[in-house]
C-alpha cells in the first residue's frame, strides 16, 4: 500500500548542511499553515513561531545556542562525548546561520498537554518541509532558555526546536530504521507480529 | 500555494464516534510504516506500538482508562468540570471499544529526548490516518500507568496515546484555528506579521 504521506515520510532525511539559496515566503507560509492545522489538547493551539531571516538575529540564535551546547558537552561522560564526535556532532551549529530561514517553535507552557501538541505540529511541519523539496533538522537547544531570552520571548513560552530551513547540501544517507516486526505487538506487549 | 500535506492537515478533524466497520490490516501497516520513518533524537526510535483488535483487550483498555479519567474528573475545580461537560467530554470513553482498532503508542523513557520524538511520529500517524480516509482522536489517558500495566508493558515505557482508528461517525465540524497573524512573529517576539 502506498500513499503520499508515507512516500514523503520515507524520503525525508535530516540535513545539517544547507545551500544558501533563498526560499520563497510562500513556502514558509505553507509550512506554517500546515502546523496551524494540527490538533491540540482542548484546541488551545499552544504553538507560536518566530521566522528568523535577519542575518544578525540568526547569528544571535546561533551564538546563544552554541553557548548552551558548549556547557552541555562539558557535562558529557567521556564515552558519550566520543559517540557524539563519531556522529560528527559538536557544539558548533553552523546550520543556524547557513540556512536562509530559521523557524523557532515555541510552546505555551500554561496550556494543558502543551508539549505533545506542539510536537505533533512539528511532525506536520517536517512533512511539509520535505514535500516542498526543502530540508531541516529538528535541532533542540540544550539550553532553550538562552534562546528564549535572546528572542525576547515571554517566560511562559519554551523554545521547543529551531528548524533551519533550506535546500539540503547534505549527502548523508537516511539513518536506518528498525523493521516494524521489532516495533509492533498484537494485543499485548511481547506478542510479536514477526 | 497548495499541496497534499497541507490539504490532508486541513481536512483532518478529530473524531470521537466511530463506525464499527472493520479496517484492513494493510491500512494499519501503512500508518505504522509512516510512524517508523519519523526522525528521533540520536535515531533511537523510542516508539513501540500495540495494535489492539481483540474485543476483550479493547474493553480492558477502556475500563482502565475510564478508571483513570474518573479519578481525574474528581480532582477538577467546578468551573473546569463545567467546561468539560459543555465540550461533551466525560470520563466515558466509548470510542475505545467502538473503534475497530486501537493503536497504543509507547515511549521509551530511557531514550534521550524521547517524548518529542514519539510525538513527531504521532503527528505523522495522524496525517496517514486522514489520508487513508480514516479518523482518530489523540486520546491521552489521565493515568497512563494503569493502561501500561493492563497491557503488560515494561516499566521503562510510558503510554503516550491510545489512538482509536476507524471510519468517523462524527459530524462535528473541525474546531476553529487561530489565523497565522496571531501565531507568527518576524525575527523577534512581538514583531507581528499581521
Amino acid at each position: 500500500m502506498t500513499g503520499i504521506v508515507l512516500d514523503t515520510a520515507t524520503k525525508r532525511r535530516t540535513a545539517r548542511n544547507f545551500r544558501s539559496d533563498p526560499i520563497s515566503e510562500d513556502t514558509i507560509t505553507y509550512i506554517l499553515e500546515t502546523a496551524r492545522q494540527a490538533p491540540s489538547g482542548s484546541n488551545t493551539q499552544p504553538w507560536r513561531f518566530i521566522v528568523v531571516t535577519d542575518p544578525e538575529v540568526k547569528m544571535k540564535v546561533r551564538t546563544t545556542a552554541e553557548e548552551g551546547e558548549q556547557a552541555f558537552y562539558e557535562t558529557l561522560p567521556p564515552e558519550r562525548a566520543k559517540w557524539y564526535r563519531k556522529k560528527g556532532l559538536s557544539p558548533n551549529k553552523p546550520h543556524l546561520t547557513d540556512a536562509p530561514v530559521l523557524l523557532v517553535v515555541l510552546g505555551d507552557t500554561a496550556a494543558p498537554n502543551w508539549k505533545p501538541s506542539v510536537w505533533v505540529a512539528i511532525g506536520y511541519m517536517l512533512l511539509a518541509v520535505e514535500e516542498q523539496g526543502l530540508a531541516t533538522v529538528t535541532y533542540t537547544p540544550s539550553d532553550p532558555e538562552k534562546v528564549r531570552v535572546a528572542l525576547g520571548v515571554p517566560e511562559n513560552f519554551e523554545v521547543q526546536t529551531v528548524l533551519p530551513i533550506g535546500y539540503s547540501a547534505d549527502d548523508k544517507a537516511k539513518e536506518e530504521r528498525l523493521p516494524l516486526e521489532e516495533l509492533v505487538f498484537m494485543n499485548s506487549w511481547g506478542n510479536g507480529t514477526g
Side-chain angles (χ1 to χ4, degrees), chain A residues 51-194:
Chain A
V51 180
V52 181
T53 53
D54 182 328
E56 279 183 38
V57 181
K58 283 200 280 178
M59 185 51 88
K60 189 159 69 172
V61 170
R62 178 179 168 180
T63 308
T64 50
E66 287 180 343
E67 282 168 21
E69 297 313 322
Q70 195 60 57
F72 169 72
Y73 274 70
E74 281 162 16
T75 67
L76 285 177
E79 319 96 86
R80 190 83 188 149
K82 205 168 136 189
W83 182 90
Y84 272 76
R85 272 197 304 277
K86 219 179 102 191
K87 283 255 177 192
L89 299 172
S90 86
N92 298 328
K93 301 294 168 194
H95 41 268
L96 298 181
T97 47
D98 291 352
V101 177
L102 307 181
L103 293 182
V104 182
V105 184
L106 308 161
D108 179 351
T109 61
N113 240 348
W114 64 276
K115 195 181 276 249
S117 304
V118 172
W119 282 93
V120 162
I122 294 167
Y124 275 36
M125 293 169 84
L126 297 184
L127 292 176
V129 167
E130 176 65 30
E131 187 193 28
Q132 293 297 321
L134 296 163
T136 192
V137 51
T138 46
Y139 168 61
T140 51
S142 292
D143 189 348
E145 267 299 276
K146 275 193 202 300
V147 181
R148 178 186 72 74
V149 171
L151 292 168
V153 174
E155 269 180 36
N156 59 311
F157 285 87
E158 200 177 89
V159 173
Q160 293 301 289
T161 187
V162 180
L163 300 175
I165 312 277
Y167 294 97
S168 177
D170 226 328
D171 53 8
K172 252 183 82 181
K174 178 161 175 151
E175 301 227 29
E176 293 230 2
R177 297 294 190 268
L178 295 169
L180 271 195
E181 292 71 30
E182 293 185 30
L183 300 173
V184 180
F185 303 105
M186 286 304 298
N187 290 303
S188 71
W189 183 271
N191 188 9
T193 53

Side-chain angles (χ1 to χ4, degrees), chain A residues 18-36:
Chain A
F18 296 91
R19 283 155 47 190
S20 58
D21 308 50
I23 57 181
S24 76
E25 255 183 64
D26 277 3
T27 313
I28 295 299
T29 303
Y30 182 87
I31 297 162
L32 296 169
E33 282 287 357
T34 304
R36 188 173 81 87

Side-chain angles (χ1 to χ4, degrees), chain A residues 35-48 108 111-114 117:
Chain A
R36 188 173 81 87
Q37 293 296 335
S40 54
S42 309
N43 195 35
T44 50
Q45 305 167 64
W47 39 67
R48 296 294 182 275
D108 179 351
N113 240 348
W114 64 276
S117 304

